Amino acid sequence: MAAPLASPIHSVVAAATIDLAVLFLTSYFLANLVCSSSGTKQFFAGVSTVLVAIVIIYAVRIPPVDRSVVDKVLPPNKVLIVGHRGGGYDAPENTIAAIRESKKNGADGVEIDLEFTKDGVPILLHDATVDRTTDGQGPIKSFTFQEVRKLNASHGHRLSEKFPNEQVPTLEEATEECLNLGLKIFYDVKGNARQAAKALTELFKKHPSLYENAAVCSFYPDVIYMVRMTDPSIVTALTHRPGDLTYDITGKPRDLEWWQRHTAPLADMFIHWAHHSWLWYVCGNSAFVIWKNEMSQQVKAFWAHRGIQLISWTVNSATEKKLYEDFLKTNYITDCLSGDCHESKN
């Protein structure tokens, strides 16, 4: 008979103990390298490092949102199907049309991308430039809101004839549309931690129903930490893809400077360890947005032991969707709600 799984608390304690032991040994051996005296000083250097780390983590940690609230945003017994970039395969991405199509095609929610114009207006846009998704060119930071309003957000989309002349919506417009349609919202923030935290916390206060129907997600821990520092009642999720600094989403090495090529793999290893070790705890996260290639029952159990729900991206084929709905029973983000799409815009 198979041995029973360790209890959640035992699993977390064991993992934390291993991390602290590694920290102690690292400090001990580093002290050995710089000190020529007896091992007593090195031993206490290791102990002191561990104690300081524990104190810092507890001092800066933000407690997580109450589980009863999290369960309203991410119902534990339901697989949420979320439209990626509003549902960017079935309609121009990050537009009101995409949000409406997602609802029409059975989505439970949408993931939308937050950016800011030159004059500080929060809008929906995935890239740092307007080139790919509109008929304009240049960084979004070089456009005022009035200039962005003149751009055609349907430009280049496969269904541009069906959805001509879509505008780039404001964060407020998109949020109101989602709430009116009964869609959950997953705000993906690319950076601008202070600016994003201010815009999002003001939005949540203006629309209190967001606390039970929306979450803020980001690759950047400073964004999540700033949002939760500003308003600890907001449900948040860190996003992570292993090797993100070294390889792009297709697996090709990024075009980096020579020194970056040597440091990026080390940075990726540290980030991966930090995500699975203490970042989720310090930020008080309630969920983790995980790359689909990393998903498994073991990974799901790892995060479940920590009270963390999972959302996987980008699940596009019919086979993948069936896997998530029937076997993994895990929330997922998809480009297409109307069927099977093999075009993945990760």
Side-chain angles (χ1 to χ4, degrees), residues 177-241:
E177 186 68 27
C178 291
L179 291 176
N180 289 337
L181 294 173
L183 289 168
K184 295 187 181 297
I185 313 169
F186 297 87
Y187 299 104
D188 187 21
V189 185
K190 307 300 182 187
N192 309 300
R194 292 185 181 278
Q195 195 175 20
K198 182 176 184 295
L200 287 167
T201 53
E202 288 177 354
L203 187 69
F204 272 70
K205 286 181 170 58
K206 182 176 180 180
H207 302 281
S209 59
L210 287 174
Y211 288 103
E212 297 181 353
N213 289 285
V216 176
C217 314
S218 183
F219 273 92
Y220 303 98
D222 62 322
V223 169
I224 298 300
Y225 194 80
M226 187 67 67
V227 168
R228 300 223 60 241
M229 277 285 290
T230 309
D231 189 342
S233 299
I234 294 177
V235 173
T236 57
L238 279 164
T239 305
H240 177 58
R241 180 176 66 86

Side-chain angles (χ1 to χ4, degrees), residues 267-289:
D268 276 326
M269 289 173 61
F270 174 78
I271 292 170
H272 186 77
W273 167 76
H275 270 294
H276 292 75
S277 179
W278 53 270
L279 271 177
W280 62 274
Y281 182 80
V282 169
C283 293
N285 278 323
S286 305
F288 193 69
V289 182

Side-chain angles (χ1 to χ4, degrees), residues 125-202:
L125 190 73
H126 179 272
D127 301 353
T129 72
V130 301
D131 301 34
R132 182 179 61 83
T133 55
T134 76
D135 55 352
Q137 287 187 324
I140 183 59
K141 295 297 185 186
S142 67
F143 288 81
T144 65
F145 175 64
Q146 290 304 318
E147 291 169 335
V148 169
R149 269 303 211 214
K150 297 175 183 177
L151 300 177
N152 180 6
S154 301
H155 179 76
H157 192 271
R158 70 187 190 94
L159 298 176
S160 57
E161 291 186 3
K162 181 179 179 182
F163 303 100
N165 303 314
E166 282 293 312
Q167 290 184 315
V168 175
T170 64
L171 178 67
E172 175 77 25
E173 290 169 343
T175 296
E176 289 183 350
E177 186 68 27
C178 291
L179 291 176
N180 289 337
L181 294 173
L183 289 168
K184 295 187 181 297
I185 313 169
F186 297 87
Y187 299 104
D188 187 21
V189 185
K190 307 300 182 187
N192 309 300
R194 292 185 181 278
Q195 195 175 20
K198 182 176 184 295
L200 287 167
T201 53
E202 288 177 354

Side-chain angles (χ1 to χ4, degrees), residues 23-315:
L23 180 60
F24 168 79
L25 290 172
T26 302
S27 303
Y28 179 80
F29 286 116
L30 285 176
N32 266 318
L33 291 176
V34 299
C35 297
S36 58
S37 55
S38 66
T40 304
K41 288 186 177 180
Q42 288 90 320
F43 175 80
F44 280 108
V47 171
S48 299
T49 302
V50 170
L51 292 175
V52 169
I54 292 173
V55 169
I56 291 174
I57 287 173
Y58 274 95
V60 301
R61 187 213 181 197
I62 304 172
V65 177
D66 186 85
R67 176 53 56 184
S68 63
V69 177
V70 176
D71 286 349
K72 291 178 180 177
V73 178
L74 296 161
N77 298 315
K78 178 178 174 61
V79 175
L80 294 181
I81 302 173
V82 180
H84 189 215
R85 305 180 193 174
Y89 186 81
D90 300 321
E93 69 178 60
N94 283 311
T95 63
I96 298 299
I99 293 170
R100 289 172 179 166
E101 284 296 297
S102 286
K103 177 62 178 182
K104 174 183 171 183
N105 292 323
D108 299 296
V110 291
E111 177 258 8
I112 52 180
D113 299 289
L114 173 61
E115 257 296 355
F116 293 89
T117 60
K118 181 180 179 179
D119 46 348
V121 178
I123 59 166
L124 300 198
L125 190 73
H126 179 272
D127 301 353
T129 72
V130 301
D131 301 34
R132 182 179 61 83
T133 55
T134 76
D135 55 352
Q137 287 187 324
I140 183 59
K141 295 297 185 186
S142 67
F143 288 81
T144 65
F145 175 64
Q146 290 304 318
E147 291 169 335
V148 169
R149 269 303 211 214
K150 297 175 183 177
L151 300 177
N152 180 6
S154 301
H155 179 76
H157 192 271
R158 70 187 190 94
L159 298 176
S160 57
E161 291 186 3
K162 181 179 179 182
F163 303 100
N165 303 314
E166 282 293 312
Q167 290 184 315
V168 175
T170 64
L171 178 67
E172 175 77 25
E173 290 169 343
T175 296
E176 289 183 350
E177 186 68 27
C178 291
L179 291 176
N180 289 337
L181 294 173
L183 289 168
K184 295 187 181 297
I185 313 169
F186 297 87
Y187 299 104
D188 187 21
V189 185
K190 307 300 182 187
N192 309 300
R194 292 185 181 278
Q195 195 175 20
K198 182 176 184 295
L200 287 167
T201 53
E202 288 177 354
L203 187 69
F204 272 70
K205 286 181 170 58
K206 182 176 180 180
H207 302 281
S209 59
L210 287 174
Y211 288 103
E212 297 181 353
N213 289 285
V216 176
C217 314
S218 183
F219 273 92
Y220 303 98
D222 62 322
V223 169
I224 298 300
Y225 194 80
M226 187 67 67
V227 168
R228 300 223 60 241
M229 277 285 290
T230 309
D231 189 342
S233 299
I234 294 177
V235 173
T236 57
L238 279 164
T239 305
H240 177 58
R241 180 176 66 86
D244 186 58
L245 298 178
T246 308
Y247 302 98
D248 65 21
I249 198 71
T250 67
K252 295 180 180 177
R254 294 190 184 278
D255 185 18
L256 304 172
E257 299 289 339
W258 68 268
W259 64 271
Q260 293 174 320
R261 289 197 297 272
H262 290 84
T263 56
L266 295 174
D268 276 326
M269 289 173 61
F270 174 78
I271 292 170
H272 186 77
W273 167 76
H275 270 294
H276 292 75
S277 179
W278 53 270
L279 271 177
W280 62 274
Y281 182 80
V282 169
C283 293
N285 278 323
S286 305
F288 193 69
V289 182
I290 185 173
W291 189 37
K292 67 178 182 181
N293 290 10
E294 296 297 308
M295 187 60 195
S296 68
Q297 288 285 26
Q298 290 76 16
V299 169
K300 184 177 179 179
F302 174 90
W303 288 110
H305 286 171
R306 288 152 180 78
I308 302 291
Q309 288 223 48
L310 294 181
I311 310 163
S312 191
W313 103 100
T314 305
V315 178

